[in-house]
Amino acid sequence: MEKPITGTMKAFMTGNEIVAWAALAAQADIMFGYPITPQNEIMHYWTRLAPKYKREFLQTEDEISAGFTVCGAVQAGRKAFTATAGPGNVLMQEPFGMAEAMRLPIVAVIQQRGGPSSGTVVYSQQEVTLTTYGGNGEGHRIVYSTSTHQEIFDYVIKAFNTAWKYRFPTFVMGDGYQAKMREPLEIYDPEERGLAIEPARPLVGLPGSIGVDREPAHLCNIYSLEEELYEVVLELDRAYQEIAPQVVEYEEKMCDDAEIIVLSHGVVSRAADDAVKTLREKGINAGYFRHITLRPFPAQQLRDAIKKSGARKILVAESSYGQLMRLVRQEIYGETVEICGLLKPGVGIVDHDIFDKVKELL
Amino acid sequence: MSAVQPAMPKSWYAPSKPHKFCPGCGHGIVLKALGEAIDELNIQNQTVFGCDIGCSLLSWNFFAVDSTQTHHGRTTPVMVGMKRANPELICVGYMGDGGGYSIGSQHLVNSAIRNEKVTLILVNNTNYAMTGGQLAPTTLPGQKTETTPYGRDVEKQGYPTRGPEMIATITPDGAYVARATVSKFRQMKTFIKRALQNQMEGNGFSFVECLSTCPTNWRTNPQQTWDFLEDQMESYFAVGEIKSPFGKGEK
Ligand SMILES: Cc1ncc(C[n+]2csc(CCOP(=O)(O)OP(=O)(O)O)c2C)c(N)n1
Ligand code: SF4
Ligand SMILES: [Mg+2]
């Protein structure tokens, strides 16, 4: 079978198109999805590309089904994924919870739209709480937040590898802007770059004769005793904490002597980056810190940045009314730095918004 | 303790026996038929058994076949996803009437319409047994449950769901649809076997509803239990093959 991408190719694509190409490059076998803006084109590109490379697609009856079919497919040992947004992300919390409990290596791309409820179909960063800690569990998930189209490609590939290597449900969070905007990037075959592709391993339908070569697999997802579940959750957490240092990612610039650190994730980081550069040009010691993983959270790294800089203030800039800020507060509890917010739920943030806010705060 | 083990289907998982169902429960009879059908078709190693949440859950380690669990009502999409991902597997979903006809009805309806190549076995015991005997879509008119203490009033709660009849209407040719009863074991086993065969041959969606007993929630003694099944349930819910690619169908 011909590879979808050979070598490195220059491309000019929308974020949604990139997701489809990256999933192909990551050797994803099957996508399950239900239409919702702004992720639709992921399905549109996948359904055009997939048959050429013997990959599959099913449009399910709803997002609950899309999530659960992904849960079934990965148990059968196939790389499966879905994509959704907003109210679809709400419905998928049920299957995502199952994936968390059973450590199923599912991959989901979340293209955030405005909320609450049906909100807008445009853009937002209001699915942070839901994607990191949604469901009736403890948030044993891996959540990447991308900020450039190159990263969408890189991190969708990485998400499949992370999911299958560590067996925690893995999410790539974008947003309506990243989904619909077109931008230049390089697409490539990961193996040609020396990036190993994690193999898919089945949990059911295992080789060998039952009772002769092996025992049957009896996968469990509900428990009779409090203590049984307690052990399961503690074991989940132990495994999660063990892999967290290998998974956690962040980006830090100019924090060494920063009076104020601008903190952001996703597409807002572009504005933060520009704003911090301008502030520096004007002689203001601003620093930049970005969460690439929202789960696990780069907490120690942020504490270290605060400590070495001696920053008095943090400005959290986000297109939500404090979802990242709440994570920050809980994760760096005890630090005396003042945490301020530039909080614009469902609305884009540009560099001068941040620039002006920093000037106001200092 | 006697050292002699009763005869069991080969595909049963002996360490989980005796099973956990109440005395007089129909679930065990359905699972015996399924076990024998798996043995006779020699598909133990390819079969994946998925159980719903409900008393069906008590069968999570019932079989010596690869088995999985999910949430209430979601067995259908899990098995559909598995089958789509690896069509070599023989995917069997096992659920109650609440799981299949109520909370998971959108999955059942749409999988049937798409003619998904899975086998679903649905146990109709006219109530939500696991949660203590509430109204189910299949509760008979006038039947008392914990949430219809004065009996099901069809003006308020509507009429019982006739699942196989509905599924037969919405499935294309190639689907297999039947209603069995635990009072006719041999016939039930034949239906279940055909529902598996139909998946193996790749013909289409395969669905068997099994009328079953729940003396615990019905609060019935053995005589009353069997009377309710044979006299009440079997007269409301017609037993037989409704749709079959294997010929005319057994009524
Ligand atoms: C989302 C969700 N809602 C409710 C429940 C509680 N619940 C567990 S089993 C069950 C009903 C089971 O009834 P049925 O499907 O008919 O199976 P039976 O126990 O009768 O065999 C319910 C409502 C649940 N587990 N999950
Ligand atoms: S409660 Fe009813 S359905 Fe459940 S095991 Fe007991 S008899 Fe069977
Ligand atoms: Mg029931």
Side-chain angles (χ1 to χ4, degrees), chain B residues 9-203:
Chain B
K10 179 170 160 284
S11 59
W12 277 24
Y13 186 61
S16 64
K17 304 298 168 301
H19 61 60
K20 307 174 193 81
F21 300 105
C22 308
C25 176
H27 270 287
I29 308 174
V30 178
L31 295 171
K32 179 160 189 186
L34 176 58
E36 290 183 5
I38 290 172
D39 285 0
E40 287 170 23
L41 295 166
N42 195 22
I43 52 170
Q44 184 180 5
N45 293 317
Q46 303 95 280
T47 299
V48 182
F49 176 79
C51 59
D52 212 72
I53 304 289
C55 288
S56 51
L57 177 71
L58 300 174
S59 65
W60 74 278
N61 61 353
F62 196 95
F63 290 106
V65 307
D66 289 345
S67 306
T68 190
Q69 303 180 352
T70 177
H71 296 183
H72 184 38
R74 313 304 177 209
T75 307
T76 303
V78 170
M79 300 325 273
V80 165
M82 201 176 272
K83 182 72 183 184
R84 289 252 177 184
N86 183 1
E88 311 271 288
L89 299 174
I90 297 160
C91 298
V92 182
Y94 186 66
M95 63 197 68
D97 37 14
Y101 295 148
S102 193
I103 192 167
S105 56
Q106 77 273 41
H107 310 310
L108 183 63
V109 165
N110 287 284
S111 310
I113 289 171
R114 292 194 304 259
N115 214 19
E116 297 286 352
K117 314 286 186 289
V118 295
T119 301
L120 304 182
I121 298 171
L122 183 148
V123 170
N124 174 353
N125 55 13
T126 71
N127 78 104
Y128 281 30
M130 173 64 96
T131 41
Q134 298 86 359
L135 174 84
T138 47
T139 298
L140 293 181
Q143 186 183 342
K144 286 181 180 161
T145 70
E146 289 298 328
T147 48
T148 52
Y150 304 105
R152 179 176 192 151
D153 176 352
V154 295
E155 288 300 317
K156 288 186 180 143
Q157 288 100 23
Y159 286 91
T161 302
R162 287 191 171 108
E165 288 80 354
M166 169 181 74
I167 290 165
T169 317
I170 61 177
T171 41
D173 292 343
Y176 178 86
V177 187
R179 182 185 284 113
T181 169
V182 297
S183 74
K184 296 197 179 82
F185 180 82
R186 276 161 45 120
Q187 185 195 52
M188 181 168 67
K189 188 171 118 185
T190 305
F191 291 177
I192 290 176
K193 203 168 154 182
R194 286 183 185 152
L196 291 169
Q197 247 168 334
N198 202 43
Q199 179 181 173
M200 291 162 71
E201 293 176 13
N203 297 333

Side-chain angles (χ1 to χ4, degrees), chain A residues 277-320:
Chain A
K277 279 184 198 139
T278 315
L279 286 161
R280 285 275 169 176
E281 281 162 17
K282 307 262 181 217
I284 295 165
N285 287 350
Y288 162 99
F289 191 101
R290 163 163 88 101
H291 301 260
I292 300 176
T293 50
L294 292 165
R295 283 287 288 151
F297 195 90
Q300 192 53 50
Q301 292 82 350
L302 180 55
R303 284 181 195 269
D304 291 346
I306 295 164
K307 193 164 177 198
K308 72 177 170 195
S309 63
R312 289 180 293 118
K313 290 187 180 181
I314 283 180
L315 174 64
V316 180
E318 56 173 322
S319 296
S320 107

